[in-house]
Amino acid sequence: MIGSGIAGLRAAADLAQAGDVLILTKADPTESNTGYAQGGIAAALGPGDSPDLHAADTIAAGDGLCVEPAVRVLVEDGVRYTRELVAAGARFDREASGDLAFGREGAHGLRRVMHAADATGREIGRALWNRVAEQSRVRVERNARATRLLIRGGRCVGASYEDDHGTHTVEASAVLLATGGAGHVFRETTNPSIATGDGVTLAWHGGARVADLEFVQFHPTALSAPGAPRFLLSEAMRGEGAVLLNAAGERFMTRYEEAGELASRDLVSRAIVQEQQRTGQPIYLSMQHLDPAWVRDRFPTIAAACLAAGFDLATDRVPVGPAAHYVMGGVETDLWGRTTVPGLLAAGEVACTGVHGANRLASNSLLEGLVFGARAAQAMLLPPEAGRLTEAVVEVPGCQGASVPGEVPTEATVRDLMWTSVGLTRERSSLEAAIGQLDAWYAAITPGVVAGGLTAADWRLASIVTIGRQMARAALRREETRGGHARTDFPARDDVHFKVHIGERNSGAHGRET
Ligand code: FAD
Ligand code: SIN
């Protein structure tokens, strides 16, 4: 198991009943995107809800590209696995009646999101760690960075990792990538610093196909104050009535989108940037019209973070702006987490099951990690097999990077380039320039990845360059605007040419056994 967020932990909990499980986790075991999740976990458990309604909202948000069998698995198994989570002791908020309380978030047709105040991921992590701790057959290696997959006879048979004591190699009957997201590829992000796309980089060098990496979700409301971290101001706040204001104190969202503040994230993010450009002033999120005691009680974690940056969440308007939040694409899998390399599975944010299509519905990713983590565990008990998306993926030829390697960049340089040229909006000439640069960096860095022994900082940089390059190449290929991918030179959705998933495989990895 590589990773100890919701996907890795849920898989480990089942697998340990069948054999020995080793969890490698590159930082403190609780440090993960899961640990920072705020708004909640969506599942069709509330009054008036059904898996069909949940599926319809998920598919609408996915903008024509959801793999519908994967969506059905998510919403149907989601009911079962969230109930199991509650039974395992996850303490979600309840109404005075004792029933579970459901929150509302953007693009959901009704209240569907279970939450533990504004620290839902921490509570889910606590419940899952308790389950895993009961299993004597689980060993956790902390501060252990997986740096290479072992590929033998075309199968994944283990991994190498590095820690303070050196390099280690472990063999395994199956390997699950549960390495989470890649927000740190971009200068502005809501993600913790562990989110450097390592799973995609490991899979790329192991020869597995990656898909849909042009689809990155930019959350509209990260704290945007000089010197303060880009702390997330949850969409659940807008679900509870928070409004977006320009510097003149006017609500502006309905001028851009009929659904106003609760339009899908890509649309709200772009509207914020347009209004910022129109006025030349910051944009604010405000709960000033709501009961201050209720605001502080419902959003205690966010209130504390705002206070540290000098804002009272209940009485001040808080400056916000978009930041990279979630990657819809990743390592291609089937409905059981199997990648195109037998023995290698992926679940959670690192995976591309196609369940989110071009844009993820809010609070569907904790659910994805839970459901597909559990399913991957079942598949890991079977003989190794290759999987693939249940919809055809158009494979484009992989490319080896520039023939003349460039200077090795700093991490900040790469993240700046990704933010300015492969960020919220994209267009051909800046994408082409970015790819030229990323190709040269990739050529400079890859020999070290293949040889092994890179420092933690260099491996991190290599991962950011590797996945960043794949994102930029994918963004250039997709000449349309769809979901999280916005091309200013192709502003419309083009179903004739681009209603397809596009994947790429590292041609240099073919035939190279590690
Ligand atoms: P993660 O939880 O990110 O775990 C990845 C693990 O892999 C970590 O343990 C990491 O250390 C480890 N790892 C990575 N690389 C290596 C390596 N090379 N070697 C060893 N270990 C490695 N989603 C929702 O559904 N609802 C929400 O309310 C919500 N709020 C969010 C708020 C914030 C601020 C953020 C950042 C995300 C939020 N999301 C939310 C998204 C969601 O939290 C993540 O998509 C989800 O938790 C990912 O889970 P995961 O198990 O795939 O990965
Ligand atoms: C949020 O609370 O706004 C984040 C929810 C998510 O990413 O699904």
Side-chain angles (χ1 to χ4, degrees):
M1 209 73 57
I2 307 178
S4 58
I6 189 168
L9 291 178
R10 181 59 190 78
D14 276 0
L15 271 182
Q17 291 164 27
D20 294 324
V21 178
L22 171 66
I23 302 180
L24 302 176
T25 186
K26 74 173 178 181
D28 180 274
T30 57
E31 184 66 2
S32 60
N33 276 7
T34 298
Y36 292 89
Q38 294 182 354
I41 182 164
L45 291 177
D49 205 357
S50 69
D52 283 348
L53 291 174
H54 190 183
D57 288 345
T58 301
I59 289 166
D63 210 0
L65 222 53
C66 286
V67 170
E68 296 199 12
V71 174
R72 292 249 50 106
V73 166
L74 180 82
V75 297
E76 283 165 11
D77 285 13
V79 170
R80 163 177 159 213
Y81 287 118
T82 47
R83 281 201 178 119
E84 176 204 77
L85 196 58
V86 174
R91 296 183 295 238
F92 295 118
D93 294 344
R94 291 181 180 268
E95 305 288 358
S97 61
D99 294 339
L100 285 166
F102 293 93
R104 174 114 192 238
E105 291 185 37
H108 283 274
L110 76 180
R111 290 186 165 264
R112 173 180 294 135
V113 180
M114 289 184 282
H115 47 83
D118 56 358
T120 309
R122 203 163 61 207
E123 176 56 16
I124 292 175
R126 186 196 63 77
L128 287 176
W129 273 112
N130 282 349
R131 266 194 79 182
V132 167
E134 287 163 5
Q135 314 281 346
S136 58
R137 300 182 82 173
V138 178
R139 193 176 110 218
V140 181
E141 288 290 341
R142 59 176 64 210
N143 301 317
R145 298 178 288 119
T147 50
R148 182 198 298 251
L149 298 172
L150 300 182
I151 307 291
R152 198 176 297 145
R155 275 187 49 194
C156 182
V157 294
S160 296
Y161 68 95
E162 312 217 353
D163 63 13
D164 292 346
H165 309 291
T167 304
H168 313 265
T169 295
V170 273
E171 302 224 350
S173 54
V175 174
L176 177 67
L177 293 171
T179 49
H184 271 261
V185 170
F186 296 91
R187 188 182 70 212
E188 313 294 339
T189 181
T190 62
N191 291 192
S193 72
I194 50 109
T196 48
D198 296 14
V200 168
T201 299
L202 289 165
W204 176 254
H205 287 296
R209 192 158 65 186
V210 299
D212 289 355
L213 279 168
E214 62 274 40
F215 296 118
V216 176
Q217 184 171 77
F218 295 88
H219 198 294
T221 57
L223 178 63
S224 183
R230 293 288 169 265
F231 195 84
L232 182 71
L233 272 66
S234 175
E235 190 157 308
M237 294 171 62
R238 279 173 282 133
E240 299 290 1
V243 292
L244 287 163
L245 302 175
N246 62 21
E250 297 157 351
R251 282 182 77 174
F252 60 86
M253 266 311 303
T254 47
R255 269 198 277 117
Y256 294 92
E257 298 299 332
E258 205 183 319
E261 277 87 355
L262 289 180
S264 65
R265 287 180 184 172
D266 53 322
L267 301 177
V268 180
S269 289
R270 281 173 231 153
I272 286 178
V273 170
Q274 282 179 51
E275 185 68 5
Q276 248 165 0
Q277 285 166 348
R278 190 186 72 78
T279 59
Q281 301 281 329
I283 300 298
Y284 299 90
L285 189 67
S286 169
M287 295 193 110
Q288 292 163 301
H289 53 295
L290 300 174
D291 172 17
W294 179 86
V295 169
R296 293 188 192 107
D297 185 54
R298 173 69 179 83
F299 299 108
T301 315
I302 299 170
C306 286
L307 207 55
F311 301 95
D312 184 331
L313 183 68
T315 56
D316 292 332
R317 53 185 200 174
V318 182
V320 291
H325 183 62
Y326 184 86
V327 184
M328 273 71 75
V331 183
E332 183 188 328
T333 73
D334 66 7
L335 298 183
W336 296 94
R338 292 179 289 220
T339 73
T340 55
V341 171
L344 178 67
L345 296 92
E349 191 166 340
V350 64
C352 179
T353 56
V355 78
H356 306 301
N359 201 8
R360 174 177 66 92
L361 185 67
S363 286
N364 263 358
S365 52
L366 288 173
L367 189 68
E368 180 193 23
L370 189 72
V371 167
F372 288 93
R375 290 171 69 88
Q378 291 175 44
M380 287 169 89
L381 298 175
L382 301 173
E385 245 185 71
R388 47 176 304 149
L389 280 189
T390 54
E391 277 177 15
V393 174
V394 176
E395 184 170 317
V396 295
C399 130
Q400 282 309 299
S403 48
V404 182
E407 292 282 304
V408 173
T410 65
E411 190 175 317
T413 311
V414 184
R415 295 179 66 198
D416 267 344
L417 179 76
M418 290 299 293
W419 181 252
T420 50
S421 303
V422 198
L424 198 57
T425 55
R426 295 129 178 213
E427 57 81 38
R428 172 176 295 280
S429 61
S430 50
L431 281 171
E432 282 175 344
I435 290 168
Q437 190 67 81
L438 286 157
D439 276 352
W441 291 336
Y442 178 80
I445 277 171
T446 298
V449 177
V450 173
L454 289 180
T455 63
D458 284 348
W459 206 92
R460 183 182 159 87
L461 176 65
S463 187
I464 287 173
V465 167
T466 305
I467 182 172
R469 173 174 175 265
Q470 291 312 119
M471 285 172 169
R473 285 165 54 79
L476 180 64
R477 279 192 303 259
R478 187 170 286 277
E479 295 182 331
E480 64 161 354
T481 290
R482 183 191 293 271
H485 170 69
R487 287 280 299 256
T488 52
D489 45 354
F490 295 96
R493 174 169 140 174
D494 175 357
D495 278 347
V496 176
H497 300 101
F498 288 104
K499 199 171 163 53
V500 286
H501 302 273
I502 306 175
E504 198 174 348
R505 200 193 300 255
N506 178 8
S507 51
H510 291 317
R512 183 167 59 75
E513 302 273 297
T514 57

